[in-house]
Amino acid sequence: MARSMLIISRQAPWAGPSAREALDIVLAGGAFELPLGLLFLDDGVFQLTKAQQAASLEQKDLTANLQALPLFGIDSLFVARSSLTERNLDESSLALPVEILDDAGLSTLINRYDHVITI
Amino acid sequence: MSSLVVDGREIALDKDGFLVDLSDWNEAVAEALARREELELEDEHREVLRLLREFYAEFQLSPATRPLIKYTALKLGPEKGNSMHLNRLFKGTPAKLAAKLAGLPKPSNCL
Amino acid sequence: MATLHLLSHSPFSDGRFNSCLPLLGDTDALLLAGDATYALTAGTKPATELEQLPEQVALFALEEDVQARALGMLPTRVQLLDYAGFVELTCRYERINSWL
């Protein structure tokens, strides 16, 4: 039985390589069919907002990449409710379907996986 | 680095034979790339190449094998979206070879 | 099923401390290393928040990092560890979440 892993992505998409690195871990793990979860926390929730214009910064469109996750076999996508609320975002602001969790739900989630990586 | 001449135009390729500039791609370039791989393109190859270009336009990345199969099944049905069909068309390495012929970047998670 | 959370950034200049605290479940633990030990500074908001964590949440700090920073009176609940103790601690929890 493969060990499960939760990746916690907490950086904004334009804040440097962190968000991209978190996605690369998830895509690579997905290729190995590892049971993976991806949690967007803090500024990480900004990766999910609709209608971002990556081209204006001459960068690749991370949010477009994220939409491919279900095709890569990654269906366990989570978002911290408190991070959304702080940023005046809600479910309708997000570009892909995720499960929104409160703080208690987040600590339960973390304890469900064999490994956790926060980036 | 090598290059390819299509209709009198020189097209740069990287060391693995992928297009350096993705905007160089057209149907004739695909045919020329396929000949380099000793593959004769048929309609059933071309429909997968078109699909890959749609995938790239939508998600901005080249699919690994499993997502390619899933996406093909989703768009063209399960009789085409399976590893046997795609392996047969693209010499056993559909994600890598089809991405190359479709003018996409090399799939980064093709491990 | 418990998680050991590891912080090493100062709570006064970085959001990791504030983001980590609400995620601590009852059986989880928090280990402060490096500049994260500044959270133990008496009379500060982070120190008060540490005092207010649920009683079952264990709180640890690396002793040499605490000593280097002359932090004065520490909250009574914090347990100081040397590196051997740190290693032993990581074996006691099912998973480690390093806030890199």
Side-chain angles (χ1 to χ4, degrees), chain A residues 13-87:
Chain A
W14 319 115
S18 299
R20 163 79 40 201
E21 284 165 1
L23 177 63
D24 283 342
I25 293 175
V26 173
L27 293 176
F32 282 111
E33 307 201 17
L34 290 181
L36 291 181
L38 179 57
L39 165 64
F40 299 91
L41 182 71
D42 299 336
D43 279 350
V45 301
F46 285 132
Q47 296 172 32
L48 297 170
T49 53
K50 290 174 185 165
Q52 298 178 59
Q53 303 280 330
S56 69
L57 295 175
E58 295 187 0
Q59 292 198 25
K60 290 194 74 176
D61 191 339
L62 184 81
T63 309
N65 295 169
L66 289 171
Q67 315 228 18
L69 285 175
L71 285 167
F72 279 77
I74 315 292
D75 303 309
S76 302
L77 303 174
F78 309 95
V79 169
R81 185 181 303 283
S82 56
S83 304
L84 288 179
T85 310
E86 276 171 4
R87 289 161 184 79

XYZ file of all heavy atoms in Angstrom, chain A residues 13-87:
564
model
N 0.489 32.591 -6.291
C 1.072 32.054 -7.531
C 2.233 32.874 -8.065
O 3.081 32.355 -8.779
C -0.099 32.068 -8.517
C -1.129 32.965 -7.928
C -0.931 32.919 -6.450
N 2.288 34.154 -7.734
C 3.325 35.012 -8.326
C 4.430 35.323 -7.336
O 5.267 36.185 -7.575
C 2.697 36.316 -8.848
C 1.394 36.079 -9.520
C 0.176 36.520 -9.111
C 1.150 35.307 -10.706
N -0.800 36.065 -9.956
C -0.223 35.324 -10.945
C 1.981 34.611 -11.575
C -0.802 34.664 -12.025
C 1.401 33.948 -12.643
C 0.027 33.984 -12.857
N 4.463 34.604 -6.187
C 5.414 34.940 -5.123
C 6.737 34.203 -5.256
O 7.475 34.083 -4.303
C 4.781 34.639 -3.761
N 7.034 33.669 -6.432
C 8.253 32.881 -6.579
C 7.896 31.460 -6.946
O 6.764 31.188 -7.345
N 8.848 30.554 -6.833
C 8.639 29.209 -7.373
C 7.798 28.285 -6.475
O 7.464 27.188 -6.902
C 10.061 28.665 -7.503
C 10.838 29.386 -6.467
C 10.221 30.741 -6.332
N 7.450 28.716 -5.264
C 6.838 27.784 -4.302
C 5.560 27.120 -4.801
O 5.385 25.909 -4.671
C 6.513 28.501 -2.994
O 7.682 28.997 -2.431
N 4.662 27.924 -5.355
C 3.381 27.379 -5.788
C 3.598 26.356 -6.903
O 2.983 25.289 -6.932
C 2.465 28.506 -6.265
N 4.507 26.680 -7.807
C 4.838 25.786 -8.924
C 5.465 24.493 -8.393
O 5.152 23.404 -8.862
C 5.785 26.555 -9.858
C 6.570 25.766 -10.856
C 5.810 25.342 -12.069
N 4.910 26.366 -12.573
C 3.876 26.097 -13.362
N 3.620 24.866 -13.730
N 3.091 27.067 -13.768
N 6.338 24.620 -7.369
C 6.988 23.433 -6.804
C 5.966 22.503 -6.157
O 6.039 21.279 -6.303
C 8.057 23.839 -5.778
C 9.321 24.362 -6.432
C 10.232 25.101 -5.465
O 9.899 25.205 -4.258
O 11.259 25.593 -5.919
N 5.011 23.104 -5.450
C 3.969 22.287 -4.821
C 3.198 21.516 -5.892
O 2.946 20.313 -5.764
C 3.022 23.170 -4.005
N 2.865 22.206 -6.980
C 2.132 21.553 -8.067
C 2.969 20.439 -8.704
O 2.462 19.362 -9.018
C 1.726 22.585 -9.124
C 1.021 22.009 -10.356
C -0.304 21.363 -9.974
C 0.790 23.097 -11.397
N 4.285 20.698 -8.882
C 5.153 19.684 -9.484
C 5.210 18.419 -8.625
O 5.223 17.308 -9.152
C 6.574 20.238 -9.693
C 6.634 21.169 -10.905
O 5.711 21.111 -11.736
O 7.596 21.952 -11.005
N 5.242 18.599 -7.296
C 5.243 17.429 -6.408
C 3.963 16.629 -6.619
O 3.978 15.403 -6.738
C 5.339 17.854 -4.925
C 6.690 18.488 -4.638
C 5.121 16.642 -4.001
C 6.810 19.049 -3.226
N 2.851 17.354 -6.702
C 1.561 16.684 -6.850
C 1.478 15.942 -8.194
O 1.043 14.784 -8.249
C 0.409 17.706 -6.726
C -0.919 17.063 -7.043
C 0.388 18.284 -5.316
N 1.932 16.593 -9.263
C 1.862 15.950 -10.581
C 2.774 14.730 -10.648
O 2.404 13.689 -11.197
C 2.233 16.945 -11.684
C 1.253 18.104 -11.897
C 1.774 19.063 -12.951
C -0.135 17.598 -12.271
N 3.977 14.851 -10.064
C 4.902 13.716 -10.069
C 4.327 12.569 -9.240
O 4.346 11.410 -9.660
C 6.269 14.143 -9.518
N 3.795 12.899 -8.067
C 3.187 11.864 -7.220
C 2.005 11.208 -7.906
O 1.807 9.994 -7.811
N 1.232 12.025 -8.621
C 0.083 11.494 -9.348
C 0.513 10.491 -10.413
O -0.140 9.477 -10.640
N 1.660 10.770 -11.059
C 2.171 9.863 -12.087
C 2.522 8.504 -11.479
O 2.465 7.480 -12.143
C 3.386 10.476 -12.779
N 2.911 8.501 -10.206
C 3.202 7.243 -9.506
C 1.965 6.668 -8.838
O 2.064 5.718 -8.059
C 4.285 7.462 -8.440
C 5.673 7.546 -8.996
C 6.380 8.740 -8.971
C 6.277 6.434 -9.547
C 7.662 8.819 -9.487
C 7.570 6.498 -10.064
C 8.251 7.694 -10.027
N 0.815 7.288 -9.080
C -0.452 6.862 -8.500
C -0.420 6.837 -6.974
O -1.026 5.977 -6.339
C -0.881 5.499 -9.073
C -0.887 5.543 -10.602
C -1.748 4.459 -11.234
O -2.582 3.890 -10.522
O -1.585 4.222 -12.449
N 0.322 7.775 -6.365
C 0.304 7.901 -4.911
C -1.020 8.534 -4.485
O -1.540 9.392 -5.188
C 1.434 8.811 -4.431
C 2.866 8.316 -4.548
C 3.819 9.367 -3.990
C 3.038 7.013 -3.776
N -1.566 8.107 -3.353
C -2.758 8.797 -2.836
C -2.365 10.165 -2.290
O -1.691 10.263 -1.276
C -3.254 7.872 -1.711
C -2.261 6.776 -1.568
C -1.124 7.001 -2.511
N -2.757 11.206 -3.018
C -2.302 12.553 -2.680
C -3.458 13.477 -2.370
O -4.531 13.360 -2.965
C -1.557 13.168 -3.868
C -0.216 12.602 -4.247
C 0.329 13.380 -5.434
C 0.741 12.698 -3.086
N -3.204 14.412 -1.472
C -4.137 15.501 -1.249
C -3.395 16.813 -1.417
O -2.180 16.877 -1.216
N -4.120 17.853 -1.795
C -3.515 19.176 -1.940
C -4.391 20.171 -1.192
O -5.586 20.278 -1.453
C -3.409 19.528 -3.429
C -2.829 20.884 -3.821
C -1.431 21.091 -3.259
C -2.802 21.034 -5.338
N -3.766 20.843 -0.220
C -4.491 21.827 0.582
C -3.956 23.223 0.278
O -2.747 23.457 0.332
C -4.309 21.508 2.079
C -4.683 22.608 3.082
C -6.182 22.934 3.013
C -4.297 22.212 4.501
N -4.864 24.131 -0.038
C -4.487 25.526 -0.264
C -4.743 26.303 1.021
O -5.872 26.360 1.512
C -5.280 26.122 -1.424
C -5.030 25.405 -2.721
C -5.822 24.340 -3.117
C -3.970 25.782 -3.538
C -5.580 23.666 -4.305
C -3.714 25.113 -4.727
C -4.518 24.056 -5.108
N -3.659 26.887 1.557
C -3.731 27.585 2.837
C -3.108 28.971 2.656
O -2.234 29.150 1.803
C -2.948 26.763 3.880
C -2.911 27.264 5.317
C -4.272 27.092 5.986
C -1.851 26.491 6.126
N -3.532 29.922 3.485
C -2.967 31.276 3.441
C -3.030 31.842 2.007
O -4.009 31.635 1.315
C -1.538 31.289 4.007
C -1.517 30.850 5.477
O -2.557 30.994 6.138
O -0.483 30.358 5.942
N -1.942 32.482 1.554
C -1.958 33.072 0.211
C -2.074 32.022 -0.892
O -2.334 32.361 -2.058
C -0.691 33.914 -0.030
C -0.801 35.306 0.580
O -1.913 35.675 1.012
O 0.211 36.016 0.627
N -1.907 30.759 -0.549
C -2.088 29.686 -1.527
C -3.460 29.716 -2.175
O -3.619 29.287 -3.329
N -4.466 30.242 -1.472
C -5.810 30.281 -2.058
C -5.865 31.208 -3.282
O -6.725 31.030 -4.141
C -6.908 30.704 -1.039
C -6.932 29.742 0.146
C -6.701 32.125 -0.560
N -4.914 32.145 -3.350
C -4.891 33.033 -4.528
C -4.553 32.276 -5.818
O -4.769 32.782 -6.914
C -3.890 34.177 -4.332
C -4.367 35.254 -3.382
C -3.542 35.720 -2.372
C -5.632 35.814 -3.511
C -3.967 36.718 -1.504
C -6.074 36.812 -2.650
C -5.231 37.268 -1.634
N -4.007 31.060 -5.675
C -3.730 30.253 -6.880
C -5.016 29.865 -7.591
O -5.007 29.500 -8.757
C -2.975 28.969 -6.507
C -1.596 29.205 -5.918
C -0.991 27.917 -5.386
O -1.227 26.846 -5.908
N -0.211 28.032 -4.323
N -6.131 29.906 -6.855
C -7.379 29.359 -7.376
C -8.324 30.405 -7.939
O -9.369 30.060 -8.482
C -8.106 28.609 -6.257
C -7.367 27.396 -5.684
C -8.065 26.892 -4.433
C -7.300 26.305 -6.729
N -7.979 31.689 -7.803
C -8.958 32.691 -8.229
C -9.077 32.728 -9.749
O -8.117 32.496 -10.477
C -8.609 34.097 -7.693
O -7.269 34.382 -8.052
C -8.723 34.139 -6.178
N -10.293 33.031 -10.179
C -10.608 33.010 -11.608
C -10.000 34.190 -12.354
O -9.749 35.234 -11.761
C -12.135 33.082 -11.799
C -12.859 31.826 -11.383
C -14.367 32.074 -11.476
C -15.141 30.866 -10.953
N -16.543 31.189 -10.697
N -9.835 34.008 -13.644
C -9.500 35.095 -14.581
C -8.182 35.789 -14.281
O -8.040 36.986 -14.451
C -10.631 36.137 -14.616
N -7.196 35.009 -13.809
C -5.868 35.592 -13.673
C -5.224 35.673 -15.058
O -5.525 34.879 -15.932
C -5.002 34.727 -12.752
C -5.559 34.636 -11.334
C -4.714 33.737 -10.459
O -3.534 33.968 -10.261
N -5.329 32.690 -9.929
N -4.315 36.639 -15.225
C -3.686 36.859 -16.529
C -2.194 36.595 -16.423
O -1.403 37.523 -16.293
C -3.925 38.307 -16.972
C -5.380 38.707 -17.054
C -6.033 38.230 -18.334
O -5.387 38.108 -19.365
N -7.323 37.921 -18.269
N -1.838 35.316 -16.485
C -0.430 34.941 -16.334
C 0.446 35.622 -17.379
O 1.562 36.029 -17.098
C -0.281 33.434 -16.440
N -0.101 35.766 -18.579
C 0.711 36.277 -19.682
C 1.203 37.693 -19.405
O 2.260 38.096 -19.888
C -0.085 36.244 -20.972
N 0.466 38.452 -18.607
C 0.885 39.830 -18.356
C 2.186 39.874 -17.558
O 2.870 40.888 -17.543
C -0.222 40.624 -17.659
O -0.399 40.162 -16.345
N 2.524 38.797 -16.856
C 3.817 38.712 -16.170
C 4.755 37.765 -16.913
O 5.789 37.375 -16.387
C 3.635 38.227 -14.726
C 2.859 39.141 -13.791
C 2.663 38.476 -12.435
C 3.585 40.462 -13.612
N 4.364 37.388 -18.120
C 5.128 36.448 -18.930
C 5.445 35.166 -18.158
O 6.568 34.681 -18.147
C 6.406 37.111 -19.462
C 6.075 38.240 -20.417
C 7.304 38.819 -21.105
O 8.398 38.339 -20.825
O 7.117 39.740 -21.910
N 4.443 34.657 -17.462
C 4.618 33.399 -16.737
C 3.622 32.386 -17.238
O 2.652 32.722 -17.907
C 4.400 33.637 -15.231
C 5.488 34.482 -14.626
C 5.539 34.357 -13.126
O 5.117 33.347 -12.572
N 6.038 35.371 -12.468
N 3.861 31.120 -16.868
C 2.914 30.086 -17.238
C 1.691 30.186 -16.332
O 1.769 30.651 -15.206
C 3.558 28.711 -17.109
C 4.610 28.504 -18.177
C 5.003 27.052 -18.283
C 3.928 26.250 -18.946
N 4.338 24.843 -19.154
N 0.560 29.745 -16.871
C -0.689 29.912 -16.155
C -0.907 28.769 -15.165
O -1.375 27.695 -15.510
C -1.833 29.950 -17.172
C -3.135 30.383 -16.525
O -3.258 30.257 -15.287
O -4.026 30.846 -17.250
N -0.524 29.030 -13.908
C -0.599 28.002 -12.867
C -2.030 27.520 -12.638
O -2.282 26.335 -12.427
C -0.030 28.564 -11.561
C 0.057 27.574 -10.414
C 1.293 26.717 -10.547
C 0.055 28.271 -9.070
N -2.976 28.459 -12.694
C -4.354 28.079 -12.434
C -4.887 27.157 -13.528
O -5.644 26.221 -13.255
C -5.235 29.329 -12.280
O -4.593 30.184 -11.326
C -6.605 28.979 -11.735
N -4.439 27.391 -14.779
C -4.808 26.472 -15.871
C -4.233 25.090 -15.595
O -4.911 24.076 -15.745
C -4.297 26.993 -17.208
N -2.971 25.061 -15.134
C -2.338 23.784 -14.785
C -3.141 23.051 -13.717
O -3.343 21.843 -13.785
C -0.923 23.989 -14.215
C 0.062 24.574 -15.222
O 1.141 24.973 -14.838
N -0.300 24.633 -16.487
N -3.576 23.811 -12.704
C -4.301 23.198 -11.578
C -5.587 22.511 -12.042
O -5.995 21.502 -11.483
C -4.635 24.258 -10.519
C -3.451 24.797 -9.717
C -3.886 25.992 -8.867
C -2.883 23.719 -8.810
N -6.204 23.081 -13.094
C -7.460 22.493 -13.566
C -7.265 21.110 -14.147
O -8.222 20.373 -14.337
C -8.080 23.382 -14.642
C -8.038 24.830 -14.242
C -9.346 25.534 -14.427
O -10.372 24.898 -14.539
N -9.307 26.839 -14.417
N -6.005 20.763 -14.484
C -5.730 19.439 -15.046
C -5.610 18.380 -13.945
O -5.547 17.191 -14.247
C -4.449 19.465 -15.872
N -5.578 18.794 -12.680
C -5.339 17.835 -11.595
C -6.290 16.635 -11.600
O -5.844 15.502 -11.428
C -5.378 18.538 -10.228
C -4.132 19.386 -9.922
C -4.316 20.144 -8.618
C -2.894 18.513 -9.857
N -7.607 16.840 -11.813
C -8.482 15.663 -11.844
C -8.055 14.660 -12.923
O -8.131 13.459 -12.699
C -9.866 16.248 -12.140
C -9.791 17.649 -11.603
C -8.374 18.089 -11.862
N -7.563 15.153 -14.072
C -7.097 14.234 -15.122
C -5.828 13.509 -14.706
O -5.533 12.420 -15.183
C -6.833 15.000 -16.423
C -8.079 15.433 -17.198
C -7.698 16.429 -18.273
C -8.770 14.231 -17.816
N -5.058 14.110 -13.810
C -3.864 13.457 -13.297
C -4.203 12.556 -12.100
O -3.318 12.081 -11.409
C -2.814 14.498 -12.894
C -2.015 15.037 -14.055
C -2.569 15.978 -14.917
C -0.724 14.604 -14.300
C -1.841 16.464 -15.994
C 0.012 15.095 -15.367
C -0.549 16.019 -16.219
N -5.490 12.379 -11.848
C -5.906 11.474 -10.775
C -5.918 12.107 -9.395
O -6.031 11.418 -8.398
N -5.774 13.442 -9.333
C -5.776 14.122 -8.033
C -7.152 14.767 -7.833
O -7.453 15.808 -8.410
C -4.702 15.235 -7.974
C -3.380 14.757 -8.552
C -4.553 15.767 -6.556
C -2.683 13.708 -7.778
N -7.966 14.123 -7.016
C -9.312 14.639 -6.779
C -9.464 15.224 -5.381
O -10.488 15.788 -5.057
C -10.344 13.510 -6.945
C -10.248 12.883 -8.325
O -10.275 13.637 -9.308
O -10.126 11.649 -8.406
N -8.445 15.015 -4.537
C -8.555 15.473 -3.150
C -7.962 16.868 -3.022
O -6.780 17.037 -2.740
C -7.822 14.511 -2.214
O -8.361 13.218 -2.355
N -8.824 17.864 -3.266
C -8.388 19.259 -3.215
C -9.139 19.966 -2.095
O -10.359 19.884 -2.011
C -8.669 19.949 -4.551
C -8.037 19.300 -5.784
C -8.512 19.984 -7.059
C -6.525 19.337 -5.692
N -8.386 20.654 -1.231
C -8.982 21.277 -0.061
C -8.539 22.742 0.057
O -7.461 23.109 -0.396
C -8.554 20.528 1.207
C -8.777 19.042 1.136
C -7.752 18.194 0.740
C -10.021 18.492 1.434
C -7.960 16.816 0.653
C -10.239 17.124 1.353
C -9.200 16.279 0.959
N -9.398 23.510 0.696
C -9.087 24.921 0.924
C -9.472 25.272 2.355
O -10.487 24.797 2.870
C -9.873 25.817 -0.067
C -9.770 27.272 0.326
C -9.368 25.634 -1.482
N -8.638 26.099 3.002
C -8.935 26.556 4.359
C -9.949 27.693 4.305
O -9.707 28.712 3.655
C -7.657 27.022 5.041
N -11.072 27.483 4.997
C -12.116 28.506 5.007
C -11.589 29.833 5.556
O -11.858 30.910 5.019
C -13.308 28.039 5.856
C -14.483 29.018 5.818
C -15.650 28.550 6.693
N -16.130 27.222 6.317
C -16.899 26.968 5.247
N -17.280 27.956 4.478
N -17.280 25.744 4.970
N -10.781 29.766 6.627
C -10.297 31.004 7.246
C -9.436 31.799 6.259
O -9.485 33.028 6.240
C -9.503 30.681 8.515
O -8.458 29.788 8.208
N -8.654 31.082 5.427
C -7.806 31.789 4.457
C -8.661 32.499 3.404
O -8.334 33.606 2.970
C -6.856 30.810 3.750
O -6.090 30.104 4.691
N -9.765 31.866 3.005
C -10.685 32.505 2.049
C -11.311 33.740 2.677
O -11.322 34.828 2.081
C -11.800 31.535 1.642
C -11.453 30.364 0.722
C -12.711 29.533 0.466
C -10.866 30.858 -0.593
N -11.846 33.569 3.891
C -12.567 34.644 4.557
C -11.680 35.874 4.742
O -12.086 37.000 4.435
C -13.095 34.165 5.927
O -13.783 32.934 5.716
C -14.028 35.174 6.546
N -10.445 35.640 5.227
C -9.500 36.753 5.432
C -9.295 37.549 4.154
O -8.990 38.737 4.196
C -8.110 36.192 5.792
C -7.909 35.868 7.245
C -6.571 35.118 7.449
O -5.791 34.934 6.483
O -6.344 34.736 8.581
N -9.400 36.879 3.015
C -9.101 37.521 1.732
C -10.375 37.903 0.972
O -10.299 38.202 -0.220
C -8.222 36.584 0.892
C -6.809 36.486 1.456
C -6.057 35.279 0.982
N -4.738 35.191 1.618
C -4.531 34.733 2.852
N -5.536 34.273 3.571
N -3.328 34.727 3.368
